[in-house]
Amino acid sequence: MNNRRTFLKQTTGLAALSAFSPSLYAGPKVASRIRFAAIGLNHGHINGQVEAVIRGGGELVAVYAKEPDLVAAFTKRFPQAKLARSEAEILDDKNIQLVVSAAIPDERGPLGIRVMKAGKDYMADKPGITTLEQLAEIRKVQQQTKRIYSIMFSERFENKATVKAGELVKAGAIGQVVQTIGLGPHRISLTSRPEWFFDKKHYGGIICDIGSHQVDQFLFFTGSTKGEVVASQTGNIHYPQYPNFEDFGDLTLRGDKGTGYIRVDWFTPDGLNTWGDGRLTILGTDGYIEIRKNVDIAGRTGGSHLFLVDKKETRYIDTSKEVTPYGTQLVDDILNRTETAMTQAHCFLATELALKAQKQAQRLKIA
């Protein structure tokens, strides 16, 4: 397998934004407000990143990657992107304000440093940072340059039910949030994975990688601005042929405004019609919300299912017409130097907690 190739996810419904489909992007046209470019195409999430910025008013003008096949698929989908001859060509272009990247995970942080030093804002796929040492340097450069270092936590930003849940929680629909429980199961799809996918040196570990989504949601829904890792564990239960891989992880978090439990794994069976039955439960003092992100396994079709239980009733809320605002907010922040999409402190704290949980994790062994 080619170490740098991207991989395809088996997706349905809204989750298809993550798939690296060669089909031409035909989303809504929005007046251009910024110019942006893509560097690094090793994960199919790059499509969702680009489409979010386009919806927000970004004009995609350039792309650079080392792999000709990835560039060919990307430019077929986004023909407006001019192929740059080098990374430097993009970084030196004063008319480009934002760079987005889904490079191999351990390359995303160093790229972000180069982007910020070039005077541009940056949006990385998750995990946007794979070590605490990277995080320390990125924090330093971000403070020096005052550029935006954003990580695309798509399970919150691009899932309509999760966006709606944020509005409900803010409006007090379930009272004070006490705890979040985030479950992030994934299908492994072995034959579509590149070599780097199985090496923790490159992807950072299962908590660093897919667990970062749930850490972000824990902080967001509890409103915590401080947090600590109470306990964490990781293991490789089912794939001994890949000794540097992790297929299971869980952790418990304590914040200044709530607690959280997170479980992530690579055990989604082929019988499910999507890549993972992701779930989020938000427990409040006056009720709770459950989100089935990708599938209602015994009922409605599609994804983004939201259930609300309060003192009066139990109800299903249709979120199909919700707008996902991250792309628009990020473009606003680039133009206005604000923090409406996500504060920089939140971005770095979510990353720090995921990295600490990964580093501190006890090794789980099941005979």
Side-chain angles (χ1 to χ4, degrees), residues 151-164 166 213-221 280 293 324-326 329 340-343 346-347 350:
I151 298 174
M152 173 70 139
F153 294 117
S154 56
E155 286 193 19
R156 175 161 69 92
F157 294 139
E158 292 293 292
N159 183 277
K160 294 183 177 183
T162 313
V163 170
K164 182 64 175 179
H213 280 303
Q214 282 73 26
V215 177
D216 160 69
Q217 290 167 88
F218 153 74
L219 292 174
F220 176 76
F221 284 106
L280 174 67
K293 291 179 177 289
T324 51
Y326 170 73
Q329 291 172 336
T340 61
M342 172 174 53
T343 68
H346 173 103
C347 179

Side-chain angles (χ1 to χ4, degrees), residues 271-274 276-279 292 294-302 305 307:
L272 191 69
N273 67 353
T274 187
D277 185 11
R279 307 187 192 188
R292 304 293 292 269
N294 306 315
V295 61
D296 181 355
I297 59 173
R300 301 166 183 86
T301 60
H305 302 282
F307 303 88

Side-chain angles (χ1 to χ4, degrees), residues 11-307:
T11 55
T12 59
L14 187 69
L17 285 175
S18 298
F20 204 102
S21 167
S23 60
L24 183 67
Y25 172 68
K29 293 185 178 180
V30 180
S32 174
R33 299 198 290 150
I34 66 164
R35 291 161 58 88
F36 77 104
I39 299 177
L41 310 174
N42 298 91
H43 198 297
H45 286 164
I46 191 66
N47 291 338
Q49 294 172 259
V50 168
E51 289 165 8
V53 179
I54 290 174
R55 292 196 305 269
E59 178 186 355
L60 177 64
V61 297
V63 60
Y64 174 73
K66 299 176 182 178
E67 305 85 356
D69 56 336
L70 303 187
V71 171
F74 184 85
T75 53
K76 183 175 182 179
R77 186 182 182 100
F78 302 106
Q80 68 270 42
K82 175 187 174 183
L83 178 58
R85 292 166 293 182
S86 65
E87 174 186 301
E89 182 178 329
I90 291 175
L91 297 186
D92 292 342
D93 188 335
K94 302 300 183 184
N95 294 314
I96 292 175
Q97 293 147 283
L98 170 71
V99 171
V100 301
S101 179
I104 294 173
D106 64 324
E107 299 176 1
R108 295 170 189 171
L111 172 61
I113 289 172
R114 298 193 296 274
V115 170
M116 290 189 292
K117 286 184 174 180
K120 305 182 191 307
D121 296 313
Y122 182 61
M123 185 243 280
D125 181 24
K126 68 81 218 160
I129 302 167
T130 57
T131 69
L132 288 166
E133 291 76 18
Q134 281 187 357
L135 175 60
E137 182 63 19
I138 288 164
R139 276 179 157 149
K140 177 182 176 182
V141 174
Q142 192 279 323
Q143 279 296 308
Q144 291 171 343
T145 62
K146 303 302 181 184
R147 308 316 304 178
I148 296 169
Y149 193 107
S150 189
I151 298 174
M152 173 70 139
F153 294 117
S154 56
E155 286 193 19
R156 175 161 69 92
F157 294 139
E158 292 293 292
N159 183 277
K160 294 183 177 183
T162 313
V163 170
K164 182 64 175 179
E167 297 172 359
L168 291 168
V169 167
K170 185 176 181 180
I174 58 172
Q176 180 181 351
V177 173
V178 177
Q179 184 198 44
T180 62
I181 299 176
L183 306 181
H186 283 59
R187 177 180 289 130
I188 196 162
S189 301
L190 281 175
T191 59
S192 67
R193 303 297 181 177
E195 291 178 11
W196 61 259
F197 173 84
F198 299 100
D199 190 343
K200 190 162 67 170
K201 177 181 69 175
H202 292 299
Y203 74 87
I206 193 169
I207 294 175
C208 166
D209 182 16
I210 56 180
S212 62
H213 280 303
Q214 282 73 26
V215 177
D216 160 69
Q217 290 167 88
F218 153 74
L219 292 174
F220 176 76
F221 284 106
T222 64
S224 292
T225 56
K226 298 178 181 178
E228 61 179 324
V229 179
V230 178
S232 59
Q233 57 186 350
T234 59
N236 184 354
I237 312 303
H238 195 54
Y239 300 98
Q241 68 271 41
Y242 302 110
N244 295 321
F245 183 62
E246 293 173 343
D247 58 18
F248 177 88
D250 72 348
L251 60 148
T252 303
L253 298 169
R254 181 185 298 121
D256 54 335
K257 294 185 180 179
T259 69
Y261 172 76
I262 292 164
R263 191 203 80 212
V264 288
D265 66 77
W266 288 101
F267 297 137
T268 294
D270 290 342
L272 191 69
N273 67 353
T274 187
W275 54 265
D277 185 11
R279 307 187 192 188
L280 174 67
T281 300
I282 309 163
L283 174 66
T285 53
D286 297 325
Y288 67 91
I289 291 170
E290 182 177 355
I291 298 168
R292 304 293 292 269
K293 291 179 177 289
N294 306 315
V295 61
D296 181 355
I297 59 173
R300 301 166 183 86
T301 60
S304 295
H305 302 282
L306 190 154
F307 303 88

Side-chain angles (χ1 to χ4, degrees), residues 346-360:
H346 173 103
C347 179
F348 286 157
L349 179 58
T351 300
E352 179 183 344
L353 290 173
L355 291 173
K356 285 183 174 178
Q358 181 69 56
K359 187 174 182 178
Q360 298 168 201

